[in-house]
Amino acid sequence: MAEGAAGTVGAGSDVNTAGNPTEIAMAYLQDEKPDGDIANLNLGELDLTTDEFILDKVDIHIQANLEDDLVKEALKTGVDLRQYSKQVEAELQRIEQASIKDYIKESQNIALLHNQITACDSILERMEGMLSGFQSDLSSISSEIQTLQQQSVSMNIRLKNRQAVRSHLSQLVDELVVPEAMISTILDSPVTEQEFLEQLHELSNKINFAKELCFRETLACSDIQDIVDRLKLKAVSKIREFILQKIYSFRKPMTNYQIPQNTLLKYRFFYQFLLANERTVAKEIRDEYVDTMSKIYYSYFKSYSGRLLKVQYEEVADKDDLMGVEDTAKKGFFSKPSLKSRNTIFTLGQRGTILSPAELEGPILVPHTAQRGDSRYPYEMLFRSQHYALLDNGCREYLFLSDFFMVTGNSALDLFNSIMGKTLSMFLKSMSTYVSDCYDSIAIFLCIHIILRFRAITAKRTIPALDKYWEAVLELLWPRFELILEMNIHSIRNTDPQKLGVLDTRPHYITRRYAEFSSAIVSINQTFTNERTNALLGQLQIEVENFVLKMAAEFPSRRDQLIFLINNYDMMLSVLMERAADDSKEVEGFQQLLLARTQEFIEEILSPPFGGMIAFVKEAEALIEKGQLDRLKNEDVRITQLVRGFSSTWKQSVESMSQDVMRSFTNFKNGTSIIQGALTQLIQYYHGFHKVLNQPTFRSLAVRSELINLHHLMVEVKKHKPNF
């Protein structure tokens, strides 16, 4: 109640000073009117007769009052409203009096509260002043912070700009400044020291930078241009002297020029520096190197080639050493000595091993060592040694030129040709001279395949420098090989059998030459097949087959002709199969010829002792096919003679035939095969003889009992089978 009174005083009173609490309470009470008076006042002011009173609104108020719970309770209990109104008014007065007493009772507290509120107001007023000061101070600080922030951003931008300028300027200054260490090193240090090479790189960078600054017309360039130029001239002078000294060292006798070449490769930047800064000196060094190495290679290979020819076989083939030439030595005191054996010209022997990887890329021949040992070599070994030295030096030189002189493609090839061109021309000229008088076709063919393999090696190493030279060599060798092969073909075609001496059924030396030569060419040609070579070999084979037939025709009897043919075919086939593949055209051709002639020979040797029986069997089988066997039913005497004659003479005939065959054929294996074929054919004929006599037409013949049992005959025949 006291708090409510205090709130009323604070709100409705204008008292600003402290006083007697009783007076304060009374003053407060004087300002208020009782609720009853207010009600009376309101009722007194109410004018129910005025036109402005709106009955509708009265109804609304009445309706609202009727909704009140007290009114409802009063109406419900039937209380008199006037009496009830007075009762309420009295109650309100009582409450008012009690409230006044409470105010008076709490007047001390109310006054104290008033004073406290006044003190709080003054404190709050001072605090408001302080906060207003703080607010103004903060406002000024905020503006200062904004100013500082703007200054900081501006300073940061200026700092970044200065740092960027400083980095560019420091780099510019570093590039412009020529340190004392560089000057002393370029002037005083030998070019072979690593420090000189490092300072030369730095000097090259400064020269390039100075050129760039001059292009941009930078004023600072003039400050260093003079000293940079003088250092460049000094470096060029020292490098020129060093490289020329190394090049001149190549010219000393017995010098291994690969060592100074490797030294130059370590300092390849020297030439790069000259090429970038002093092209005239670079050209001078390049020309000097080309001139020096061209002379060195030419002198070396000319001397080496000349010494190699001194260790070649003295006996070489000439134009008379052809396949179809008669194998007789030239006679006469002043006649040229012939080869010990012309067959060696057509025999490969161990010469083919030169194409093996170990021999092909083996060490080159040392002529003076071979001369001391009195060793001699065929031309293809000299050719291999010479061209392997060329391949090895050529590949190394091409790689050196590409690396040191920094050239590629056609420029590298042109530089290589300017060095090696004279040497290669010398090779081609000497080779052309030799090849034009060479008749050793196997040597030429081996040289061709040596070049083909060397070309493959350079292609594998990706060295194109010698490609044109390989092609030029092949253009020299191929026509010569084909010419020699055609000369041999013509020599066989024009051979007169009657001028070849005494006839003999053994293999002829011309066919042996062909067999050895053909097997050699076929075995070599298997790796790098050449169709032109195959065509020429086909022509040669046809001519040899014709020659064999012409020689066989010189024998009077067909038996000797067949023996000659079989011996020659067998010999050629055996030699070919040693080197050529089993499915090669030459092997297949001679196998068919040998099989046909062998079958004919078997019939030929069976004919004398068993011709009657064979003729009867063939005649009877033909009549059986026609169904006319009865035409032989009156041949009893003939059949009896055949049965008894075979039974009595077959063993002697087989023995004699075996011995004759073994004497006729030089190849025991071939003779054995022929005997086996003959005995097999004999058993087949005798088996056919049995079948014919088992026909109804001849079953009544008594002589059938004298036939030898077929199984017994086979057992007996096996006893005559030769074992080798």
Side-chain angles (χ1 to χ4, degrees):
M1 189 61 121
E3 294 175 358
T8 305
V9 171
S13 175
D14 293 330
V15 180
N16 294 324
T17 61
N20 191 333
T22 304
E23 293 177 355
I24 294 172
M26 290 302 295
Y28 177 79
L29 291 175
Q30 289 176 359
D31 291 337
E32 294 193 353
K33 297 181 185 290
D35 292 340
D37 294 338
I38 293 172
N40 293 331
L41 178 61
N42 291 337
L43 291 174
E45 293 175 354
L46 181 64
D47 185 3
L48 299 176
T49 62
T50 61
D51 294 336
E52 296 178 358
F53 185 77
I54 301 173
L55 293 178
D56 292 337
K57 293 183 178 181
V58 173
D59 290 337
I60 293 171
H61 286 293
I62 292 173
Q63 187 63 33
N65 290 330
L66 289 177
E67 295 294 331
D68 187 82
D69 292 337
L70 292 175
V71 175
K72 285 182 180 180
E73 183 66 25
L75 293 175
K76 186 176 181 180
T77 56
V79 177
D80 186 2
L81 293 177
R82 292 185 184 84
Q83 184 65 32
Y84 184 72
S85 175
K86 290 179 180 182
Q87 183 180 347
V88 170
E89 183 178 356
E91 184 68 23
L92 289 173
Q93 288 178 355
R94 185 183 61 76
I95 291 172
E96 181 181 3
Q97 291 298 324
S99 177
I100 291 171
K101 290 179 180 180
D102 286 339
Y103 274 112
I104 294 171
K105 182 179 178 180
E106 296 295 331
S107 61
Q108 290 290 338
N109 294 333
I110 292 171
L112 180 61
L113 179 61
H114 177 74
N115 293 334
Q116 291 176 350
I117 291 172
T118 303
C120 286
D121 284 342
S122 63
I123 292 170
L124 291 175
E125 184 177 359
R126 290 197 303 272
M127 290 183 66
E128 182 180 5
M130 291 174 63
L131 291 175
S132 297
F134 287 156
Q135 184 177 7
S136 62
D137 292 341
L138 289 175
S139 177
S140 63
I141 290 173
S142 176
S143 63
E144 290 178 1
I145 289 174
Q146 289 179 353
T147 303
L148 290 174
Q149 184 178 9
Q150 292 175 355
Q151 292 177 355
S152 175
V153 172
S154 176
M155 292 175 67
N156 189 33
I157 293 173
R158 289 199 301 273
L159 176 62
K160 288 182 179 180
N161 292 337
R162 289 180 180 180
Q163 288 177 343
V165 171
R166 180 180 180 181
S167 65
H168 287 293
L169 285 176
S170 63
Q171 182 179 358
L172 179 64
V173 171
D174 290 340
E175 294 290 345
L176 285 173
V177 171
V178 180
E180 188 67 27
M182 176 185 291
I183 298 173
S184 61
T185 301
I186 296 296
L187 294 178
D188 302 329
S189 297
V191 295
T192 54
E193 290 188 2
Q194 182 65 26
E195 186 179 1
F196 181 87
L197 185 61
E198 293 174 357
Q199 293 298 334
L200 189 66
H201 278 279
E202 291 296 326
L203 178 60
S204 177
N205 293 334
K206 291 188 182 300
I207 292 172
N208 294 332
F209 189 70
K211 290 179 181 178
E212 184 179 350
L213 292 181
C214 290
F215 180 75
R216 296 177 181 176
E217 298 181 353
T218 304
L219 296 177
C221 177
S222 58
D223 296 337
I224 65 165
Q225 190 66 49
D226 181 59
I227 188 170
V228 167
D229 289 342
R230 285 190 290 172
L231 285 176
K232 180 181 72 173
L233 291 176
K234 183 62 177 177
V236 167
S237 175
K238 294 177 71 172
I239 291 172
R240 175 183 177 276
E241 182 180 357
F242 171 75
I243 297 179
L244 288 178
Q245 182 182 1
K246 289 298 178 185
I247 293 175
Y248 293 152
S249 67
F250 295 168
R251 303 175 180 178
K252 296 179 182 179
M254 306 299 293
T255 299
N256 184 358
Y257 59 85
Q258 295 173 11
I259 296 175
Q261 271 188 340
N262 293 334
T263 303
L264 287 176
L265 285 177
K266 290 169 58 178
Y267 302 102
R268 63 174 63 87
F269 180 72
F270 288 174
Y271 184 79
Q272 182 179 348
F273 181 83
L274 295 178
L275 196 63
N277 299 287
E278 199 65 46
R279 286 187 172 270
T280 55
V281 176
K283 185 178 184 303
E284 177 191 4
I285 288 176
R286 176 169 166 171
D287 293 342
E288 193 66 32
Y289 179 84
V290 169
D291 181 65
T292 300
M293 293 308 297
S294 176
K295 292 177 180 178
I296 289 175
Y297 281 125
Y298 180 79
S299 175
Y300 167 73
F301 279 108
K302 184 178 181 181
S303 173
Y304 184 66
S305 301
R307 291 178 181 178
L308 280 178
L309 291 178
K310 293 180 181 180
V311 295
Q312 184 183 0
Y313 281 135
E314 295 179 357
E315 296 181 351
V316 294
D318 59 21
K319 62 181 179 180
D320 295 325
D321 294 315
L322 298 174
M323 201 174 295
V325 174
E326 182 181 356
D327 193 12
T328 56
K330 296 178 181 178
K331 296 182 180 180
F333 184 77
F334 296 102
S335 63
K336 175 184 174 183
S338 63
L339 295 180
K340 294 179 180 178
S341 175
R342 186 172 280 110
N343 289 335
T344 57
I345 304 172
F346 308 101
T347 304
L348 183 62
Q350 296 300 316
R351 299 169 72 181
T353 57
I354 197 172
L355 297 179
S356 64
E359 290 287 336
L360 192 68
E361 300 183 53
I364 63 174
L365 295 176
V366 182
H368 63 270
T369 304
Q371 284 180 320
R372 280 203 303 265
D374 200 23
S375 301
R376 292 293 182 267
Y377 303 96
Y379 177 73
E380 64 271 9
M381 292 191 69
L382 311 181
F383 182 88
R384 194 283 314 177
S385 184
Q386 181 187 45
H387 281 81
Y388 187 68
L390 174 65
L391 180 147
D392 190 41
N393 285 276
C395 290
R396 185 181 292 106
E397 186 64 31
Y398 180 81
L399 293 175
F400 174 82
L401 296 175
S402 300
D403 197 0
F404 185 78
F405 291 104
M406 298 177 295
V407 288
T408 57
N410 291 330
S411 299
L413 293 177
D414 293 340
L415 185 59
F416 178 84
N417 290 328
S418 64
I419 294 175
M420 299 295 294
K422 191 176 179 181
T423 302
L424 298 180
S425 298
M426 182 265 293
F427 269 20
L428 291 174
K429 184 178 180 180
S430 61
M431 198 181 311
S432 176
T433 303
Y434 177 83
V435 167
S436 63
D437 196 37
C438 177
Y439 294 89
D440 188 351
S441 54
I442 290 181
I444 297 293
F445 199 60
L446 285 172
C447 291
I448 289 173
H449 279 263
I450 288 171
I451 293 298
L452 292 175
R453 284 161 174 78
F454 282 167
R455 185 172 65 178
I457 291 173
T458 54
K460 185 177 180 181
R461 296 180 184 178
T462 63
I463 305 293
L466 293 170
D467 288 352
K468 291 185 178 180
Y469 174 75
W470 300 140
E471 294 299 328
V473 174
L474 291 175
E475 288 177 2
L476 277 176
L477 297 177
W478 273 119
R480 186 63 186 178
F481 172 73
E482 293 174 358
L483 176 63
I484 298 173
L485 204 53
E486 289 174 354
M487 291 173 66
N488 281 287
I489 292 172
H490 289 300
S491 70
I492 294 177
R493 182 183 302 159
N494 299 329
T495 299
D496 186 357
Q498 295 181 354
K499 295 180 180 180
L500 296 179
V502 181
L503 293 176
D504 191 350
T505 57
R506 290 175 297 181
H508 199 275
Y509 58 81
I510 290 182
T511 58
R512 179 170 292 281
R513 292 175 188 171
Y514 162 76
E516 294 287 353
F517 178 77
S518 181
S519 65
I521 299 302
V522 169
S523 63
I524 296 171
N525 200 46
Q526 286 174 352
T527 50
F528 289 89
T529 304
N530 180 267
E531 294 303 324
R532 174 63 178 161
T533 303
N534 291 334
L536 290 173
L537 285 178
Q539 294 180 22
L540 182 61
Q541 181 179 352
I542 293 172
E543 295 300 332
V544 170
E545 291 175 3
N546 293 336
F547 166 76
V548 172
L549 292 176
K550 287 193 297 182
M551 286 297 299
E554 295 294 317
F555 291 91
S557 67
R558 183 58 181 168
R559 179 178 177 279
D560 289 341
Q561 292 178 359
L562 292 174
I563 292 173
F564 177 80
L565 291 174
I566 291 172
N567 276 329
N568 281 275
Y569 291 154
D570 176 65
M571 181 273 298
M572 289 188 285
L573 185 61
S574 299
V575 174
L576 281 170
M577 292 183 68
E578 289 179 2
R579 298 186 182 275
D582 293 342
D583 58 348
S584 65
K585 182 175 65 175
E586 291 81 7
V587 171
E588 291 180 351
F590 284 114
Q591 281 178 337
Q592 294 174 1
L593 290 173
L594 178 62
L595 181 61
R597 298 289 79 79
T598 300
Q599 193 62 38
E600 184 180 352
F601 179 74
I602 289 173
E603 296 292 337
E604 187 71 22
I605 61 175
L606 288 176
S607 180
F610 309 107
M613 182 189 69
I614 294 172
F616 176 79
V617 170
K618 290 181 178 179
E619 182 182 359
E621 288 178 347
L623 291 174
I624 289 173
E625 290 182 0
K626 297 178 181 179
Q628 300 174 358
L629 188 59
D630 290 342
R631 294 173 57 181
L632 297 176
K633 63 181 179 179
N634 296 324
E635 297 286 343
D636 299 353
V637 176
R638 179 184 175 190
I639 294 173
T640 301
Q641 290 176 349
L642 291 175
V643 173
R644 291 175 179 173
F646 182 86
S647 300
S648 61
T649 63
W650 75 270
K651 289 184 179 181
Q652 295 83 358
S653 299
V654 168
E655 184 68 27
S656 175
M657 181 178 65
S658 298
Q659 294 176 358
D660 185 40
V661 168
M662 297 311 298
R663 285 194 302 267
S664 300
F665 297 101
T666 56
N667 186 349
F668 288 160
K669 184 178 179 181
N670 185 42
T672 302
S673 176
I674 291 174
I675 292 174
Q676 289 178 349
L679 295 178
T680 302
Q681 189 66 33
L682 176 62
I683 291 174
Q684 290 179 353
Y685 280 133
Y686 198 68
H687 181 243
F689 190 52
H690 268 262
K691 289 173 65 177
V692 171
L693 295 185
N694 283 332
Q695 296 296 320
T697 306
F698 305 113
R699 285 179 183 174
S700 60
L701 294 177
V703 76
R704 290 180 64 250
S705 61
E706 299 180 21
L707 287 171
I708 301 173
N709 182 271
L710 194 61
H711 180 69
H712 176 70
L713 178 64
M714 293 174 64
V715 173
E716 290 295 326
V717 163
K718 286 183 179 181
K719 295 179 182 179
H720 294 274
K721 176 183 176 183
N723 296 313
F724 294 100

